[in-house]
Amino acid sequence: MTAPAQPIKVLLVDDHPVVRTGLRALLEGFEGVEVVGEAADGTEALTKVHDGIDVVVMDIEMPGLDGITTTERITAQNGPPVLILTTYDTQSDVLAAVDAGAKGYLLKDAAPEKLRRAILDTAAGKPTLSSEVAALLMNRMQQPRLSLSTREVELLAQLATGATNKQLAKSLFISEATVKTHLVHIYQKLGVTNRTAAINMAREQRLI
């Protein structure tokens, strides 16, 4: 891929200093890419997203404001495109990132050239997914029985923590009756009859 006429200016967002240092060193070796800022969490990232940033390379799991919420806020503010770079490849994380407006989703074990291409494609507005994530989404499309909505996957993920219906309702800002309705639909889609079986099936299918 030909390097752009002007370097793609990148903001790195990751809560681990060692990871940021390693990523900066890697990215600064890429032709056509320039790291112009770093942030340790979403809150700091939002203060550094300005007109000079072309791409935000974002981790998901961070203390305080996580990567998904930060991506959603950047998107809502018509900020620069976000490329998720993470170790998490579950359906719940992928769907949440896509729903939040992320243009790309790549795993941290990706080859350096793939990361460079992903950054350039993201800057150009082209969606980019790691092969693992693409396969995950394709598998979801080919298994309609397991095609849970984003809300259902979110509910399942919290269910796995042992949350009660009341806690789920409070956390998701819905009524307990709505929680029960979601659970019925989840059980039907997964072909199970109880919470434990639903959680086990979801984990087997990498939904959570």
Side-chain angles (χ1 to χ4, degrees), residues 188-208:
Q188 290 175 341
K189 290 180 179 181
L190 298 181
V192 299
T193 58
N194 58 66
R195 293 180 177 223
T196 300
I199 292 168
N200 290 338
M201 176 66 77
R203 284 174 173 160
E204 287 177 11
Q205 298 296 329
R206 300 181 67 78
L207 302 176
I208 59 175

Side-chain angles (χ1 to χ4, degrees), residues 10 92 121 124 148 150 179 186:
V10 174
S92 57
D121 283 346
L148 305 182
T150 302
V179 169
I186 289 170

